[in-house]
Amino acid sequence: GENVEQHPSTLSVQEGDSAVIKCTYSDSASNYFPWYKQELGKGPQLIIDIRSNVGEKKDQRIAVTLNKTAKHFSLHITETQPEDSAVYFCAAKRPLYGQNFVFGPGTRLSVLP
Amino acid sequence: EAGVAQSPRYKIIEKRQSVAFWCNPISGHATLYWYQQILGQGPKLLIQFQNNGVVDDSQLPKDRFSAERLKGVDSTLKIQPAKLEDSAVYLCASSTGWTDGYGYTFGSGTRLTVV
């Protein structure tokens, strides 16, 4: 089955700096990769996603890149702000299973003022 | 639009007791999911419903966990009897259907502590 790894597990950056979180997946048939942000006491919230036919996608300060050959994808946050502090999860969707996701273990991002 | 509603928010029970969680998905969402999130880990899918039918329950510990979605709307997840390792946040999510990413929304979860 699909396995998703995520690094680093914790990340601290100064406000205004960039943050990068990387994920790898094992099933080459996976075709959809969302990123979720989870704040304390809340459910995960989708922040950006990418499909396997696209190499890069950007939404304001957030971007995601996908390398299908290497089976890895990354989240890039620029000009970080204190409100970006949260736990971030990457996920991969297994084909033929609707929106049944396999999640990575998460990265705790701390943006220091 | 209203989000995915879950109750209760918190529950503390002793091991071997029973517990039930309730989820009300976004109106019109045909697909409903229950995830288990152990502290420090990513969510793990327990069961997926399409309307009131089960699509995937391969990771549901069926000897103690059960779930139902009557009338294709609300859903309940039950644990009987609970074990210490069941302590986790139980997240419910719903989506419009099979299309990637469209309307996939999580609730705030129920935090279960088994003592």
Side-chain angles (χ1 to χ4, degrees), chain A residues 8-13 18-21 107-111:
Chain A
S9 57
T10 60
L11 179 60
S12 293
V13 300
S18 296
V20 180
I21 303 171
T107 296
R108 180 173 298 278
L109 173 65
S110 298
V111 180

Side-chain angles (χ1 to χ4, degrees), chain A residues 32 38 41 51 93 98-100, chain B residues 9 37 56 97-98 100-101:
Chain A
Y32 173 70
Q38 187 172 30
R51 290 164 176 73
K93 183 178 84 74
Q99 297 193 69
N100 181 332
Chain B
R9 285 301 310 273
Q37 186 175 23
D56 181 4
W98 298 89
D100 296 338

Side-chain angles (χ1 to χ4, degrees), chain A residues 21-86:
Chain A
I21 303 171
K22 299 181 179 180
C23 287
T24 61
Y25 60 98
S26 61
D27 189 342
S28 57
S30 289
N31 57 6
Y32 173 70
F33 308 92
W35 284 90
Y36 284 86
K37 176 183 181 182
Q38 187 172 30
E39 297 175 321
L40 194 63
K42 297 183 179 180
Q45 181 180 15
L46 178 71
I47 55 171
I48 196 167
D49 57 11
I50 192 166
R51 290 164 176 73
S52 58
N53 60 347
V54 175
E56 182 174 358
K57 182 177 179 180
K58 188 174 181 180
D59 182 5
Q60 299 182 347
R61 297 187 296 110
I62 297 174
V64 57
T65 58
L66 171 65
N67 183 325
K68 283 196 302 181
T69 303
K71 290 190 285 188
H72 68 71
F73 56 112
S74 299
L75 176 71
H76 305 255
I77 305 175
T78 59
E79 301 173 14
T80 53
Q81 301 168 2
E83 51 264 38
D84 294 329
S85 296

